[in-house]
Amino acid sequence: MDVGALAHAVWVVLLPVMLFVSLLRFLFVRGIRTGPLLVLLLWSGAALWQGYGTGPGWLVPAAYGVLGLALLEILVVLVKVVRVRVVTPEGLRHLVAAARESTGRVVMMLAVVPNGNLLVEEVPPGTGSRSVRLTEGCPLCFVEGVASELVGAGGPVVEEYRARLAGGVNQLLFLRRLAPGAPWEYRLDDAAGRPAVHRNPGCPQHGGRLL
Ligand SMILES: [Zn+2]
């Protein structure tokens, strides 16, 4: 066997392996990342080129299968992103109450994204992350209400939340309770990526300039 034929044989074995590895990498990173997607498209293109050319014909359906799975993953992620549940403030309060009643360690997160939707994580526990939109009322007031209720009215949490929003950077409010009966603790983090603060013209507190 000459060197050219040997290289071709190795290439034909390597190609489906790399195609499969690029698919796994694309599926198992969280969300859609451009890098793994480009690598997957590159290997799929190479498999199609070989399959239609001098390589084994089964590379063609294999490449289309990989591209189909990648497309399905993209659609699933997009549906999750655009699906926003509309809830009443009372309905969401019930979910927060369920977190308060639950046993064991509870860590949840509330944030108001710039368009006024609420991003909630683990409310109630075990439900992961999702976006909700309140049917009425101010979402920032809602977050302050939950913080006051759990961490304690008159405490520094609402003051600190308002002061940090007034700095022009959106905030993620983490609420944690280590065990039933233990006090709730809070932490405020600057929101990465989407730092703009939501303004609600209908709310005297959060309408214009904050604080
Ligand atoms: Zn408000």
Side-chain angles (χ1 to χ4, degrees):
M1 190 185 272
D2 64 34
V3 175
L6 183 68
H8 187 258
V10 170
W11 169 242
V12 165
V13 172
L14 188 70
L15 195 51
V17 173
M18 292 313 291
L19 185 64
F20 185 63
V21 169
S22 68
L23 175 67
L24 287 184
R25 186 157 166 249
F26 177 71
L27 293 180
F28 288 101
V29 291
R30 196 172 167 177
I32 302 296
R33 306 272 163 171
T34 332
L37 178 61
L38 285 177
V39 171
L40 182 140
L41 289 174
L42 207 69
W43 284 111
S44 302
L48 285 174
W49 172 60
Q50 280 294 309
Y52 281 123
T54 54
W58 56 263
L59 281 172
V60 172
Y64 280 125
V66 164
L67 288 171
L69 285 171
L71 186 64
L72 195 66
E73 167 75 0
I74 291 171
L75 289 176
V76 167
V77 170
L78 284 180
V79 165
K80 271 192 203 163
V81 168
V82 298
R83 193 180 58 185
V84 176
R85 270 182 52 189
V86 178
V87 293
T88 62
E90 295 75 40
L92 192 54
R93 229 169 248 289
H94 278 304
L95 297 179
V96 173
R100 204 177 44 198
E101 303 301 320
S102 69
T103 56
R105 186 172 184 271
V106 179
V107 181
M108 54 185 179
M109 194 279 291
L110 291 158
V112 181
V113 299
N115 70 5
N117 288 345
L118 272 159
L119 182 64
V120 294
E121 257 180 43
E122 299 299 311
V123 182
T127 50
S129 172
R130 62 214 158 101
S131 269
V132 297
R133 187 161 195 90
L134 295 178
T135 51
E136 57 181 320
C138 169
L140 290 158
C141 285
F142 183 90
V143 172
E144 291 182 3
V146 172
S148 300
E149 194 184 321
L150 296 184
V151 184
V157 55
V158 170
E159 236 172 74
E160 193 184 332
Y161 184 62
R162 288 180 182 175
R164 292 178 66 134
L165 288 181
V169 180
N170 202 15
Q171 297 296 309
L172 311 179
L173 171 69
F174 290 89
L175 294 158
R176 183 176 79 161
R177 191 204 58 194
L178 294 176
W184 284 88
E185 299 160 9
Y186 76 93
R187 195 185 81 219
L188 286 163
D189 278 352
D190 290 351
R194 304 180 69 186
V197 176
H198 171 66
R199 299 272 193 268
N200 178 14
C203 172
Q205 177 60 48
H206 303 112
R209 207 173 151 269
L210 296 161
L211 260 188

